[in-house]
Amino acid sequence: MSFVAPIDYLHTRFSVKFVQQPGPSDEDLDKIFRAAMTAPDHGRLRPWRFALIRGNAIARLGELAISSIKAAGLPLAPEKENTTRRWLDKVPLLIAVACRLDHTNTKIPEHERMLATGAAVGNILNAAHMLGYSAFWSTGLGTYVDTVAEALGFDALDYRFMGFVAIGTPIQSMAPPERPDYRQFVTEWTGV
Ligand SMILES: Cc1cc2nc3c(=O)[nH]c(=O)nc-3n(C[C@H](O)[C@H](O)[C@H](O)COP(=O)(O)O)c2cc1C
């Protein structure tokens, strides 16, 4: 296999929802979370919190999400219920993501803490890719239904719940998508 520079490999990251075993080994999970810890973080609050969900707990989370969405009176088509169960049946690992608000600190605005947590998730996605896995950040599965977050230990008073990252091996091999030319998104300000 020819050598690919890490930066070139990083450029091929893309999200894959439908993943299966193998998921990250404990050693790889350690590397993934160490990458999360390097996220930029105003005030070094380390606001990110993660809950691992694996094994039989994944199906339990799926049932909790489905029943909580229904109990909240939100629409959920029967077909969506089934596709959710089929999806989760194969997923080796979910990481639930929350941002801790820490009300004792009034200096750093909430949105900066959420951005730091999002940056930590970005590092998780990149680290998973660099280790040969695929990942997908979802705010489905009852992310915005408080009972789901509370069951995971993230009450709405102290946390903003930010969804789930699925990590594993793609069920179907896929080529990286074409990305837009970044020049459309970049300007240069010269001050003159
Ligand atoms: C905070 C956040 C929440 C997301 N939630 C969902 C979701 O619930 N369902 C979905 O299909 N994609 C969701 N996405 C988008 C996918 O994770 C993914 O980024 C998108 O499919 C584009 O793929 P790419 O990462 O390869 O560019 C979310 C992305 C972010 C950043």
Side-chain angles (χ1 to χ4, degrees):
M1 212 168 89
S2 60
F3 174 76
V4 179
I7 189 66
D8 292 332
Y9 191 65
L10 183 63
H11 292 159
T12 66
R13 187 212 70 84
F14 64 103
S15 299
V16 178
K17 177 174 179 178
F18 296 99
V19 290
Q20 61 186 357
Q21 296 285 357
S25 60
D26 287 348
E27 199 184 343
D28 285 344
L29 208 47
D30 178 74
K31 291 177 181 156
I32 288 168
F33 282 123
R34 282 168 61 190
M37 295 304 291
T38 71
D41 168 25
H42 193 179
R44 299 206 165 141
L45 296 178
R46 279 123 197 169
W48 44 79
R49 293 293 181 274
F50 305 111
L52 293 175
I53 307 168
R54 41 190 170 178
N56 294 336
I58 292 185
R60 285 198 280 275
L61 185 272
E63 295 312 313
L64 170 71
I66 289 166
S67 61
S68 301
I69 290 167
K70 286 181 180 170
L74 298 169
L76 184 65
E79 184 48 29
K80 178 71 183 165
E81 254 185 66
N82 293 333
T83 53
T84 298
R85 287 194 181 97
R86 279 201 297 275
W87 168 44
L88 293 180
D89 189 45
K90 295 258 186 302
V91 169
L93 170 69
L94 287 173
I95 302 174
V97 180
C99 173
R100 182 171 172 253
L101 297 179
D102 180 7
H103 301 292
T104 62
N105 181 304
T106 52
K107 187 173 158 253
I108 313 293
E110 181 180 319
H111 69 268
E112 293 195 20
R113 302 163 197 236
M114 305 251 311
L115 287 167
T117 305
V121 175
N123 284 2
I124 286 175
L125 298 175
N126 286 330
H129 174 67
M130 296 304 286
L131 290 164
Y133 302 101
S134 287
F136 177 74
W137 188 357
S138 167
T139 42
L141 291 173
T143 292
Y144 299 120
V145 181
D146 284 352
T147 45
V148 172
E150 275 161 19
L152 291 161
F154 304 121
D155 65 87
L157 192 64
D158 292 314
Y159 299 91
R160 291 284 173 266
F161 192 59
M162 294 174 63
F164 300 88
V165 178
I167 308 182
T169 301
I171 291 174
Q172 286 185 317
S173 77
M174 293 156 80
E178 281 287 317
R179 300 294 186 177
D181 187 328
Y182 70 87
R183 290 173 190 86
Q184 297 170 49
F185 305 90
V186 179
T187 56
E188 180 165 353
W189 186 80
T190 64
V192 291

